[in-house]
Amino acid sequence: MSTRRVVITGLGALTPIGNNVESYWKGLITGESGADSITHFDATKFKTRFACELKDFDILNFLDRKEARKLDPYVHYALVSSDEGIEDAGLNESDLDVDRTGVIWASGIGGLKTFYDEVTAFASGDGTPRFNPFFIPKMILDLAAGHISMRHGYRGPNFATVSACASSTHALIDATNYIRMDKADVIVAGGSEAAVNQAGIGGFNAMKALSERNDAPETASRPFDLDRDGFVLGEGAGCVVLEELGHAQKRGAKIYAEIAGGGMSADAHHITAPHPEGLGAQNVMLNALADSNMESPEIDYINVHGTSTPLGDVSEVKAIQNVFGDHAFNLNISSTKSMTGHLLGAAGAIETIACTLALVNDEVPPTINHFTDDPQFDPKLDFTFNQAQKREVRAALSNTFGFGGHNASIIVKKFVE
């Protein structure tokens, strides 16, 4: 079946190392760590007392106080990053059929702070149910997509995807397929997460998923390092504006890159642990290559899931070597989570942005915080440790894997008419 081509025409980012796309990319290339002591709440009694929080961010610079109070932070982040992406794409009503312009927006958890605050207030009261009337609309996962569409008047496909840490990659794949199948011309896609709160840190601590390197938080996220001890929780959002090629060309839009394709798979193994041989990761990359009609040697860079967990990093590398064979040694591999932390449902969006900018700039962001080689990894593999590398990047693959065994990979490539 012939399908329509899908290109990227706008980007928006709100991350722990930069509050817009320009500063985010600068932070990536200079190897900036976004990790520091938690300021959102008193974390003194928690096993992990640090995270990758947003810096110098005030929603009142974007929304009035009355409106902001009706929204959970994960929606705040979604609105800010999508506004940047829409402006960057130059979308305006005269260029668009709003009935064919959609929003597919992801979150792994949604309004966790709202849920925590409301239930805590109820539990500490006299038992009388005095809940905020906005409790449910602030909390549920689909409301970011809803608010973006209402803010801009987009009446096309509108929903949320949720697959834990693979959520926003699934959003991008769904958006790509809706445009390919002529169900929409433009889709604002991405994800946002705001889980740096008592429930988020406490819950992941209970799972023993987080690093506890409280004495040196800036070096705590150590993908592929021998002494890695868990991931660092991050927050923020990423927006990728996807558009049918002819539609973009007709309105004279700038084109960052083309979406080659995407893959999806399941581990069918464990609720949190990856398949030990990386079977699901292997299948999802093969599916992405097949959907893109590409061969493995055409990929130059992989932005890995690479969360800095003892098991996850090993299984992903096994999968890469199984899929790419000898070409694995020609790849640049990096985990930008070493800098941003893990944005959960927003990870795929900001990491697809990193891949896109690697294509545009022919430069691969590093995996920072590497101190000690892990003998489980072949020393001939290039993890882009500690320093960005200039190289031609024709195509890049982004991996995201979520609790529940959900896997999603997307491939972006340089646009050629």
Side-chain angles (χ1 to χ4, degrees), residues 135-365:
F135 173 29
I136 300 300
K138 286 175 69 173
M139 179 194 70
I140 54 180
L141 283 158
D142 62 302
L143 259 291
H147 280 291
I148 294 168
S149 70
M150 288 183 279
R151 187 172 176 84
H152 299 281
Y154 301 155
R155 297 197 297 257
N158 186 276
F159 59 92
T161 56
V162 55
S163 50
C165 305
S167 297
S168 54
T169 305
H170 276 119
L172 296 174
I173 292 170
D174 275 3
T176 297
N177 287 334
Y178 272 81
I179 295 171
R180 280 174 164 179
M181 295 186 296
D182 201 16
K183 304 294 185 183
D185 297 322
V186 182
I187 295 184
V188 178
S192 54
E193 205 74 84
V196 182
N197 50 54
Q198 294 93 325
I201 294 292
F204 283 115
N205 265 159
M207 295 173 62
K208 301 188 183 302
L210 297 181
S211 170
E212 297 178 14
R213 203 178 299 276
N214 294 296
D215 57 338
E218 69 282 356
T219 66
S221 184
R222 301 184 179 191
F224 312 111
D225 189 87
L226 179 64
D227 297 320
R228 63 191 182 278
D229 71 329
F231 71 81
V232 178
L233 190 59
E235 62 178 357
C239 173
V240 182
V241 177
L242 302 182
E243 191 165 352
E244 189 272 325
L245 173 59
H247 188 277
Q249 290 174 323
K250 183 178 180 181
R251 67 181 190 87
K254 69 175 178 297
I255 295 174
Y256 283 100
E258 183 170 358
I259 301 288
M264 298 172 279
S265 77
D267 278 8
H269 171 68
H270 189 271
I271 57 170
T272 57
H275 191 283
E277 298 303 316
L279 183 60
Q282 175 180 315
N283 287 343
V284 78
M285 287 186 278
L286 289 171
N287 292 342
L289 287 165
D291 187 58
S292 303
N293 195 27
M294 295 176 71
E295 301 294 331
S296 58
E298 296 178 77
I299 303 296
D300 295 313
Y301 168 48
I302 301 179
N303 187 300
V304 290
H305 187 58
T307 57
S308 184
T309 58
L311 296 179
D313 290 4
V314 172
S315 65
E316 185 171 10
V317 171
K318 285 181 180 178
I320 289 169
Q321 291 193 268
N322 287 339
V323 170
F324 289 90
D326 289 342
H327 181 62
F329 303 118
N330 301 321
L331 293 165
N332 271 86
I333 297 166
S334 75
S335 172
T336 49
K337 290 183 180 74
S338 60
M339 295 172 276
T340 64
H342 192 353
L343 270 65
L344 307 178
I350 67 165
E351 289 160 15
T352 298
I353 293 169
C355 288
T356 301
L357 295 176
L359 291 171
V360 170
N361 296 288
D362 282 323
E363 190 166 12
V364 175

Side-chain angles (χ1 to χ4, degrees), residues 357-379:
L357 295 176
L359 291 171
V360 170
N361 296 288
D362 282 323
E363 190 166 12
V364 175
T367 305
I368 67 167
N369 298 330
H370 181 71
F371 303 98
T372 308
D373 290 343
D374 185 334
Q376 294 182 91
F377 303 124
D378 192 314

Side-chain angles (χ1 to χ4, degrees), residues 42 75 143 153 234 382 384 404 408:
D42 182 1
V75 179
L143 259 291
D382 188 351
T384 323

Side-chain angles (χ1 to χ4, degrees), residues 33-113:
S33 172
D36 207 342
S37 298
I38 290 171
T39 64
H40 290 345
F41 64 94
D42 182 1
T44 304
K45 295 182 180 180
F46 287 74
K47 293 178 180 178
T48 296
R49 298 186 289 277
F50 60 93
C52 287
E53 297 178 328
L54 298 177
K55 316 293 188 298
D56 302 317
F57 175 76
D58 185 350
I59 189 58
L60 299 184
N61 291 327
F62 302 91
L63 300 175
D64 65 56
R65 188 177 301 276
K66 183 178 179 181
E67 186 64 23
R69 289 180 61 189
K70 299 176 184 178
L71 308 173
D72 186 86
Y74 100 94
V75 179
H76 293 164
Y77 303 165
L79 291 176
V80 171
S81 67
S82 61
D83 277 1
E84 183 187 10
I86 290 165
E87 182 178 0
D88 183 45
L91 298 182
N92 60 70
E93 194 169 330
S94 63
D95 293 332
L96 300 176
D97 178 348
V98 293
D99 293 322
R100 292 180 57 84
T101 303
V103 182
I104 303 178
W105 201 267
S107 184
I109 300 178
L112 185 60
K113 184 178 189 302

